Amino acid sequence: MSNLFERGDKPLTLTVSELNRQARTLLESHFDYVWVEGEISNLATPSSGHWYFSLKDGNAQVRCAMFRGRNQRLRFKPQGGDAVRLRCRVSLYEGRGEFQLIVEHMEPAGAGALQLAFEALKRKLQEEGLFEPERKRPVPRYVRRLAVITSPTGAAIHDILTVLERRAPGIEVMLLPVAVQGENAAPQISAAIEQVNRWHSEGRLNADLLLVGRGGGSLEDLWAFNEEAVARAIAASALPVISAVGHEVDISIADLVADLRAATPSAAAELISRDQRELLQRLNELDRALTYHTRTHITRLATELGHLRRRLQHPGYRLREQSQRVDDLELRLRQACLAVQQEKATRLALLSTRLQARSPRLQLRQEADRLDNLKQRLHGAGVLRLERYREKLARLSQLLDSVSPLRTLERGYSLVSRAKDGRIVRSVRQVAVGDALQARVSDGFVQVQVEDISSEANTSPEDGY
């Protein structure tokens, strides 16, 4: 963090962004994870999937943000007014300089959501009598064929096979691989139980005992064995069922419904192979010691991780900061768009009213009637003028026909021209005896030859050349 003063007594001037960033770094570096309890208010869930709300008590309140990657893991949906317990980091939203908590885990105040669901299902099945000792089937003293339902890669199957190899190598083991945690675990476990029983009834697999279980983990990790579907599949099994889920301290619904509960998968193998209390007690002691040392080791690693986390600024913090700012801008944009939309709708209604008051439909109908009248007058004037032009054309045609040379030829006249050059003969001086002439009459041409030439005394000589 920058010092408040540079050289001498000259103060260092920070921008608002720099000040907020240093304040956030200071808060996050001086606070580890904390548990805070209070009441939810002003819960907002934008389209990004993040949750924003206030946590308050009788005297104060603080803003909180729970991002999508964390809130999707919850098994309940919080509402305004809910009393909750939060595991969170102290931080500051740089965009508004607002002190806030970044929530990593949420549970109802007083008890966890998983524990509440566990107790509810436990009461329901207990009322139905599924935990009663009278309905439990005895586990065979000697087991020849064992069906195991667990993860093929987990420590449970390894422990079971190791114990059986050491204590009873003659037991035949058939593994039905399933997921033992996650959303698909419970359906796979219940389907495997039903499948083993179906094979047994069909004679395809003569198993003596069914073992269902997994290694240790948190309550959430073991939750598949607290599902109702798994409990009812165990209760309906025709084969005796041993439940070996987690550690000795872990009690699941499957343990309560099963015909026999083993503290661990290894303990189940011990029970199946040989009932020896000393070995079981030793195994439990080792299990507790392993749990203690594991938790101690995990605690030490978590402390080291916390120191490293404070030293290394993870880019996810900045991304969540920007994501929160985007959500803030989205909410403001929605409000602005809604205000503009309402303003436009009001103006549109006003303009629509004014437009209807000044509708041009009447004027359009009057202009349409006027246009039809003009069309009719134009058509009548055109027809009249066309008739006049037709009459004038007829008179001119008659006049032209009366002066046409063709009419003169029809009255018996002919037009004579010289055959060699087509020149019209107007005088006897233009021809000589023996010349070939062509005479045009009204209906064709006549080829003639000059045999004699005579001239009229009263005809004035013309020079045709």
Side-chain angles (χ1 to χ4, degrees):
M1 183 176 66
S2 301
N3 294 326
L4 296 179
F5 294 88
E6 294 180 333
R7 298 193 186 115
D9 295 331
K10 182 180 179 180
L12 174 64
T13 302
L14 301 176
T15 65
V16 176
S17 298
E18 292 172 342
L19 177 62
N20 287 350
R21 187 177 303 112
Q22 293 187 18
R24 179 175 66 84
T25 303
L26 182 63
L27 285 172
E28 293 180 351
S29 62
H30 283 71
F31 284 92
D32 204 347
Y33 284 98
V34 296
W35 287 90
V36 183
E37 184 172 323
E39 179 182 317
I40 292 178
S41 66
N42 301 323
L43 177 62
T45 58
S47 60
S48 64
H50 308 321
W51 293 352
Y52 304 101
F53 57 93
S54 296
L55 190 70
K56 66 179 183 179
D57 57 17
N59 299 317
Q61 66 177 4
V62 61
R63 292 293 297 169
C64 301
M66 190 170 190
F67 298 105
R68 180 175 59 186
R70 293 294 181 180
N71 62 44
Q72 287 181 338
R73 302 178 183 179
L74 297 184
R75 292 181 176 269
F76 74 103
K77 181 67 177 293
Q79 303 291 333
D82 288 352
V84 294
R85 185 167 175 260
L86 307 179
R87 182 175 182 267
C88 50
R89 293 185 295 102
V90 178
S91 184
L92 181 135
Y93 177 36
E94 294 182 21
R96 292 196 299 267
E98 185 175 82
F99 174 75
Q100 67 176 5
L101 302 179
I102 304 299
V103 182
E104 301 291 334
H105 173 72
M106 177 188 297
E107 60 185 40
L114 294 180
Q115 189 63 35
L116 292 177
F118 177 88
E119 295 297 337
L121 181 59
K122 180 180 177 181
R123 286 193 300 271
K124 176 181 178 181
L125 299 182
Q126 190 170 18
E127 291 174 357
E128 296 181 15
L130 267 64
F131 303 159
E132 297 299 327
E134 293 77 10
R135 61 158 297 278
K136 296 182 182 293
R137 290 145 298 196
V139 175
R141 183 180 180 87
Y142 301 102
V143 178
R144 293 178 299 175
R145 184 175 290 107
L146 173 67
V148 180
I149 299 176
T150 187
S151 170
T153 59
I157 186 61
H158 177 267
D159 295 343
I160 292 170
L161 294 177
T162 301
V163 172
L164 293 181
E165 180 66 24
R166 175 171 52 85
R167 295 170 58 89
I171 296 179
E172 182 182 347
V173 178
M174 185 189 72
L175 172 65
L176 282 83
V178 295
V180 293
Q181 74 181 72
E183 296 182 358
N184 298 324
Q188 291 185 19
I189 294 171
S190 57
I193 295 173
E194 295 171 358
Q195 185 178 44
V196 170
N197 280 272
R198 184 167 58 252
W199 286 347
H200 181 74
S201 63
E202 295 173 354
R204 299 169 56 187
L205 174 66
N206 295 321
D208 301 313
L209 184 63
L210 180 58
L211 192 156
V212 180
R214 61 154 287 165
S218 65
L219 178 60
E220 187 171 6
D221 294 336
L222 305 179
W223 190 252
F225 298 89
N226 292 322
E227 294 283 359
E228 184 174 359
V230 174
R232 295 198 179 278
I234 293 175
S237 174
L239 291 170
V241 179
I242 292 182
S243 175
V245 180
H247 301 299
E248 183 178 3
V249 295
D250 299 319
I251 303 296
S252 66
I253 297 294
D255 294 333
L256 300 174
V257 179
D259 300 297
L260 180 64
R261 184 242 173 183
T264 63
S266 299
E270 296 276 357
L271 292 173
I272 293 169
S273 58
R274 189 172 58 185
D275 186 11
Q276 211 169 43
R277 296 182 180 180
E278 295 81 4
L279 295 177
L280 179 59
Q281 182 179 358
R282 177 58 180 165
L283 181 62
N284 290 335
E285 291 174 357
L286 292 174
D287 181 70
R288 285 193 293 271
L290 178 62
T291 302
Y292 171 77
H293 289 299
T294 301
R295 290 176 178 173
T296 302
H297 185 62
I298 291 176
T299 301
R300 181 176 61 81
L301 293 179
T303 303
E304 295 179 1
L305 180 62
H307 292 314
L308 294 175
R309 181 182 291 129
R310 286 191 290 271
R311 294 172 57 188
L312 177 63
Q313 185 69 35
H314 195 282
Y317 296 153
R318 188 63 179 173
L319 292 177
R320 287 194 291 268
E321 179 83 15
Q322 295 300 323
S323 177
Q324 185 173 355
R325 180 173 178 81
V326 169
D327 292 335
D328 186 28
L329 293 175
E330 178 188 354
L331 295 175
R332 292 169 57 187
L333 179 61
R334 286 183 180 178
Q335 295 174 356
C337 290
L338 181 60
V340 172
Q341 183 179 4
Q342 292 176 349
E343 179 184 356
K344 296 298 183 182
T346 303
R347 180 170 177 78
L348 178 62
L350 177 62
L351 293 177
S352 178
T353 303
R354 294 171 60 185
L355 180 62
Q356 291 178 359
R358 300 181 180 181
S359 176
R361 293 180 179 177
L362 179 60
Q363 184 177 358
L364 288 176
R365 286 196 295 267
Q366 293 175 350
E367 293 298 329
D369 295 340
R370 183 169 174 269
L371 180 61
D372 291 340
N373 186 25
L374 291 175
K375 286 181 178 179
Q376 293 177 0
R377 292 173 58 188
L378 178 61
H379 179 72
V383 171
L384 181 59
R385 177 166 291 189
L386 181 61
E387 187 64 29
R388 290 176 180 174
Y389 283 143
R390 286 177 178 173
E391 293 177 356
K392 184 176 181 180
L393 178 61
R395 290 196 303 271
L396 292 176
S397 296
Q398 291 176 0
L399 179 60
L400 179 61
D401 186 63
S402 64
V403 296
S404 173
L406 297 178
R407 294 297 183 186
T408 303
L409 295 178
E410 289 178 356
R411 291 197 297 269
Y413 292 94
S414 63
L415 184 64
V416 180
S417 62
R418 296 193 301 185
K420 62 180 181 180
D421 54 11
R423 296 185 63 178
I424 300 301
V425 178
R426 295 183 177 87
S427 171
V428 294
R429 295 178 181 274
Q430 293 179 260
V431 297
V433 175
D435 286 346
L437 301 178
Q438 179 177 268
R440 179 175 181 178
V441 294
S442 63
D443 57 352
F445 295 88
V446 178
Q447 302 295 331
V448 298
Q449 186 174 10
V450 178
E451 294 181 353
D452 186 25
I453 298 176
S454 60
S455 59
E456 296 178 358
N458 58 351
T459 303
S460 301
E462 292 183 2
D463 185 2
Y465 297 94

